[in-house]
Amino acid sequence: MTGKAAQLAAIEESGWGLPFRFFQPHNLAFWVYLLGVGGGALAIVRYFGSSSFYTPALTGGVLLFGLYLVPWSLVLRRQNRYTAQPAGLLAAGFAWGGVAAAFWIALPANTALLEIWTKAGGTAFAQNWAAGLTAPINEEWSKALGLVLLIGLAPRLVRSAYDGFIIGAAIGLGFQVFEDVLYVYNGAAQTFGADQLVTSVQVFLVRGASGIVSHALFSALFCTGLMWVLGRAPGERRVVLGLVTMLTAMVFHFAWDDMNGLGGNGPLTVVLPFVIAAVELVTLFAVLRRAARLERRWMRDLLGPEAEAGVLEPALLDAVSGLRGNRKAFRKHVRSRRRARHLVEAAGDLAREIARAGGRETPRVAHARAEVARLG
């Protein structure tokens, strides 16, 4: 396949450059999405609107976890580096995770199942194991339903396992933030409204720290696995790998929720969080690296003609389509971290404009190409 043909194939297969259109009244996925978010929003109003006594705690939780979103958004933006997903699509995923998955599905489902485990196994059993036997099922599948609906809304955009990773992380982040605010509110209720702002900060510190290896990670893994099972991109169907990845996410979720039971409510409980967190992060980066293979190939094919024309030097093409090691090597090559960063960003901008133009020559493509030449 020639350079130009490979470029056009990469644009077609990835769907990069296509806009995300949310309002689709003739699409069933649109109405199911609205039903879920609408039902979740109604549940939020009923839950938090039942009493104004805990308003200070609720306000504190919203502000603290609103600020918590800032670094997470930067991390997600950085990872959304190859055939990047539109911000509107990620926002729709975040809203589904926070409103629909958390309040429309998970909250009532968890409440019902926790009662069943208590009746079936007794109070002691439920305290140690009920959360881990409930949440990984209800919550992971409720979040993954958001990915399925977004596939229905944007089938050309949501194609690869890496798309599942990024969108899953956005959905999980929404679930995580809204659930954390719920924990703040419930914490204030448990102390009968005493020291509500102090309670907000305490919950923020605990949940914020554990959030590094919580819902965003679980959903990123689960949705990556789901995309491997679905195999929506050419040559990317890996059913066994996908199912193992989904199961791994659920096992991590189980382990985190049932830490006391696994640790025997003894000294091991203090060590387990660090061990589990380390295993989760190693697994996350391994899955991320594997999921990025197709996206990296698309990026390389998309910029191939530019490299052949001498616009991009080989080291820059490796950096913009490669991994951290490739970018590190490029920094050493140009002997300037700042210049290397600007060149990689400019090459990424050029790729985005080429994708938006469908491989055609446009003024925006020419401007992006000129910017690479200027920085080089």
Side-chain angles (χ1 to χ4, degrees):
M1 188 180 293
T2 64
K4 189 63 179 179
Q7 180 189 74
L8 295 176
I11 295 172
E12 174 64 25
E13 290 175 8
S14 68
W16 195 20
L18 295 174
F20 172 62
R21 184 166 56 89
F22 175 73
F23 184 70
Q24 300 180 42
H26 300 294
N27 189 335
L28 179 61
F30 171 74
W31 293 108
V32 176
Y33 181 95
L34 284 188
L35 175 64
V37 173
L42 182 60
I44 289 174
V45 171
R46 287 176 174 173
Y47 196 96
F48 294 123
S50 59
S51 174
S52 61
F53 185 67
Y54 304 115
T55 299
L58 180 60
T59 303
V62 170
L63 291 176
L64 288 171
F65 285 103
L67 292 173
Y68 184 68
L69 268 178
V70 175
W72 271 104
S73 300
L74 294 175
V75 170
L76 192 59
R77 181 176 181 272
R78 179 176 177 81
Q79 290 302 324
N80 191 25
R81 65 162 61 95
Y82 298 116
T83 58
Q85 290 295 337
L89 181 62
L90 297 183
F94 180 89
W96 176 269
V99 180
F103 285 88
W104 186 53
I105 301 176
L107 185 60
N110 286 351
T111 301
L113 265 180
L114 287 172
E115 291 179 357
I116 291 174
W117 288 121
T118 302
K119 292 178 180 178
T123 304
F125 174 84
Q127 288 177 344
N128 286 331
W129 305 108
L133 294 173
T134 300
I137 300 172
N138 294 336
E139 295 177 2
E140 295 312 317
W141 282 104
S142 68
K143 290 180 288 183
L145 177 58
L147 174 65
V148 173
L149 292 174
L150 290 177
I151 291 174
L153 287 171
R156 294 280 307 282
L157 282 170
V158 188
R159 301 296 300 275
S160 71
Y162 196 82
D163 292 337
F165 185 95
I166 296 298
I167 296 170
I171 294 172
L173 182 59
F175 192 104
Q176 184 172 312
V177 168
F178 277 72
E179 183 185 60
D180 287 343
V181 173
L182 179 63
Y183 269 83
V184 170
Y185 185 86
N186 288 343
Q190 289 171 1
T191 59
F192 304 101
D195 298 321
Q196 293 189 37
L197 294 181
V198 173
T199 301
S200 300
V201 173
Q202 289 175 341
V203 173
F204 170 74
L205 292 175
V206 174
R207 299 287 299 182
S210 63
I212 298 172
V213 285
S214 185
H215 284 287
L217 182 149
F218 302 150
S219 293
L221 293 177
F222 194 91
C223 291
T224 300
L226 180 58
M227 290 300 290
W228 273 325
V229 171
L230 296 176
R232 292 184 46 74
E236 210 183 32
R237 186 177 177 86
R238 299 286 186 275
V239 176
V240 174
L241 177 61
L243 291 174
V244 169
T245 305
M246 294 167 71
L247 181 61
T248 299
M250 296 175 72
V251 169
F252 285 158
H253 198 158
F254 162 81
W256 202 256
D257 281 0
D258 282 348
M259 200 80 67
N260 290 333
L262 292 173
N265 293 298
L268 184 59
T269 307
V270 179
V271 180
L272 267 179
F274 299 97
V275 175
I276 294 173
V279 174
E280 286 184 12
L281 290 173
V282 170
T283 304
L284 178 76
F285 288 118
V287 169
L288 176 61
R289 188 184 184 96
R290 176 66 177 80
R293 289 181 184 176
L294 181 59
E295 293 271 338
R296 290 168 53 212
R297 194 202 79 194
W298 280 338
M299 177 66 87
R300 194 170 188 88
D301 289 346
L302 199 148
L303 287 174
E306 300 298 319
E308 293 172 1
V311 176
L312 304 181
E313 59 176 317
L316 177 55
L317 180 59
D318 290 341
V320 74
S321 64
L323 300 169
R324 181 182 179 185
N326 300 106
R327 292 187 291 276
K328 185 178 180 180
F330 183 64
R331 287 197 297 269
K332 291 182 177 180
H333 175 70
V334 301
R335 299 178 181 178
S336 170
R337 178 182 293 269
R338 181 180 179 184
R339 181 165 170 259
R341 184 180 72 253
H342 289 326
L343 278 167
V344 170
E345 290 175 353
D349 291 342
L350 174 58
R352 182 175 63 252
E353 294 301 336
I354 291 172
R356 286 176 175 173
R360 298 182 298 274
E361 188 66 28
T362 66
R364 293 178 66 91
V365 171
H367 175 75
R369 186 180 295 121
E371 189 65 13
V372 174
R374 182 184 69 82
L375 293 170

